Amino acid sequence: MSNISVPPPKCLQKPLLVPHRQMFGPGPSNVPPRILEAGANPVIGHMHPETFEIMSDIKSGIQYMFQTQNNMTFAVSGTGHTAMECAIFNTVEPGESMLSAVNGMWGERAAEMAERIGARVNTIVAPPGGFFTNAAIEQALSKYRPVLFFLAHGESSTGVLHPLDGIGQLCHKYNCLFLVDSVASIGGVPVYMDQQGIDILYTGSQKVLNAPPGTAPISFSDRACQKIFNRTSKPVSFFLDLSWLANYWGCDGKPSRMYHHTGPVTAFYSLRESLAVLAEEGLENSWERHNEVAEYFHSGLESMGLKLFVKEKKARLPTVTTIVAPHGYDWKEITTYLMKTHNLEISGGLGPSVGLVLRVGLMGYNSTKANVDMVLAALKDALKHCHKSKV
Amino acid sequence: MSNISVPPPKCLQKPLLVPHRQMFGPGPSNVPPRILEAGANPVIGHMHPETFEIMSDIKSGIQYMFQTQNNMTFAVSGTGHTAMECAIFNTVEPGESMLSAVNGMWGERAAEMAERIGARVNTIVAPPGGFFTNAAIEQALSKYRPVLFFLAHGESSTGVLHPLDGIGQLCHKYNCLFLVDSVASIGGVPVYMDQQGIDILYTGSQKVLNAPPGTAPISFSDRACQKIFNRTSKPVSFFLDLSWLANYWGCDGKPSRMYHHTGPVTAFYSLRESLAVLAEEGLENSWERHNEVAEYFHSGLESMGLKLFVKEKKARLPTVTTIVAPHGYDWKEITTYLMKTHNLEISGGLGPSVGLVLRVGLMGYNSTKANVDMVLAALKDALKHCHKSKV
């Protein structure tokens, strides 16, 4: 017989202690007690009728949030990256052409994911803070003839809100599917999946929805399904295979549901609750609130002498604001000071925006003028106390 | 301007109602209040120092549960299937040979996953309820020369506990990595990852650990890392790429951690708590308790005239018991009756065992003699009230 050689770790004898914190970075955002409590309901089976009803409610809530009639609408059991892989793995076959719009972190990651599965990947590139004209997009579609075009609606690494109108129609003109990452934007900014001709749209639970991270709403148009269900090869991932997920979520019209994977039921509870909160407020009210709060925040920043990183006003993401890293300061000292002194998270840049910006997220529940006042006061305090070089 | 065309769904106006239920199927199991409460702590950032400390505690807890010193030990942000794909995606390159031991559902799924990424897959097959001798395994290793051999330790679809001793050594003799699925077994049955020469071992949070589904502990031996970090191609999944995950979990020795994905922080809280519960009881005590309760259960079943599906006593999984579907009954009527009348879940078969068995899981917190008495009484009642054909 073998024997225990690794003893029980002492660190687990200490109780779990989690601080309360103002989560004003680009996500996760604060989770209201109502949603946390929903997630603490008892676990039931991933195939129980009550769970299927909760999943059905989630589907309706996502259809509302996304403004879509797509039947193929559900939540991936994972974070935003899982949804991104779900979209790309299912739509692109090896050797097919994929086009990614890179104006920050997310376009880079989408391109990398497609490369890994053997797609021919092309990119159009804009500098951090920039975005693409429809003419530039059409030119690339015409040149590369991709089967899939990726665009981040809310580029949370740079604070850019990308215009969406007309792009879906352009994609369809070139027989291309339009994939939109709305992780950092949806719920806080108008998106009309069907009217805007978006073929695949996804988000995460932990941004405007204010649920804990761990589920990712996604929807596929009929056009997308048409391509996916006529693939010649199986997607690389069994876990993310749309035909299995469609069955698990009751989207394939089949009378019985097969066991695919064990859905994270408690995460479904909190996701459902977060969608209920959004439905109660109403999308238009939420959009208006985010817009008002962002304008209030942006003018507050400018009157402090700070500069917004995104030049064009209409291209500023109201959920995640990028501030030009204050001249003469070490951005890292500012974020560390705010965390230490104010128990408040704001972030530096990400990927191509590292060193260039500070990022402040005010999403969902967190998007209030009172929170803006708190952030502005904390920033003023930080700029007073952090070291400023004389150069 | 576009307009809202999908109204807020009425179904979300109803409050979320989740029943309490005896979860005695093969998982998820009941989650004790202590673990549910841990998961309801406020969300903090996935890169905050407190989160890294929680992740470090989780790592220690998994090392204890798995009985391993492996530095490359962490939890995948997903369910057991995600861990399975994480193991296979990282270790097998296209064109390489993989061998799967199929004596139920899990060997089939592992084979399918490897096929999807272009591996040459071979299987050895035993009938449901059966298992493999070391001689048969060696023969297959010698014949197919795989780089990876998959074995389910706890075959929850058939109730088989597979012997592990000596197999790791055989694999290494043939320069093959030994991958073990212990989703349904670990914590309830002895496993000694290092001593048994297991190269990759994974489980799920929702079985013996009694945490909600959504995280999957996994560990890689140095031998496994050696192969993985010398790949010539990138794994198909960015999300499951071990080099990224290793950095996120602080397992790669690098001074700074990069943003990879947003970890499901509240699921980490409950996973940590579940590992703390296991460490408090002690592995040996947990193994002994599961063994005693299973023997008590099995003799209770036999004295009711029911038959155990797994013939060899030592190959019976103490966490998930398979009962031969009672002659003359419709198994589906029995499970439905138990759910309706006793608010108690037990399951039918899965994959190759459908129609052959009833499955009862008594895992972690649920593994008590009082629960055995409850299940036996409920089963007696079901056999009295369900329709028995005269054939």
Side-chain angles (χ1 to χ4, degrees), chain A residues 48 111 131-132 303 339 365:
Chain A
H48 288 184
F131 59 97
F132 305 91
S303 47
M339 179 70 89
Y365 175 65

Side-chain angles (χ1 to χ4, degrees), chain A residues 44-46 51 55 77 248 259 261-266 268, chain B residues 28 79 212-214:
Chain A
I44 56 172
H46 50 293
T51 302
M55 291 162 78
S77 303
Y248 180 40
Y259 167 61
H261 72 284
T262 304
V265 286
T266 56
F268 290 164
Chain B
T79 52

Side-chain angles (χ1 to χ4, degrees), chain A residues 3-6, chain B residues 58-70 72-75 83 164 180-183 185-187 189-204 209 216-220 275 278 283 287:
Chain A
N3 281 312
I4 291 280
S5 61
V6 181
Chain B
I58 287 173
K59 178 175 170 172
S60 301
I62 298 171
Q63 286 172 324
Y64 172 61
M65 188 189 203
F66 285 11
Q67 287 295 297
T68 182
Q69 312 273 1
N70 290 338
M72 195 63 75
T73 300
F74 57 92
L164 290 178
V180 174
D181 175 320
S182 68
V183 172
S185 57
I186 205 162
V189 196
V191 177
Y192 305 91
M193 182 172 190
D194 291 353
Q195 292 172 39
Q196 290 174 318
I198 300 169
D199 292 297
I200 307 123
L201 182 66
Y202 65 86
T203 188
L209 281 174
I218 195 167
S219 181
F220 294 83
L275 289 162
L278 181 67
L283 269 177
W287 297 339

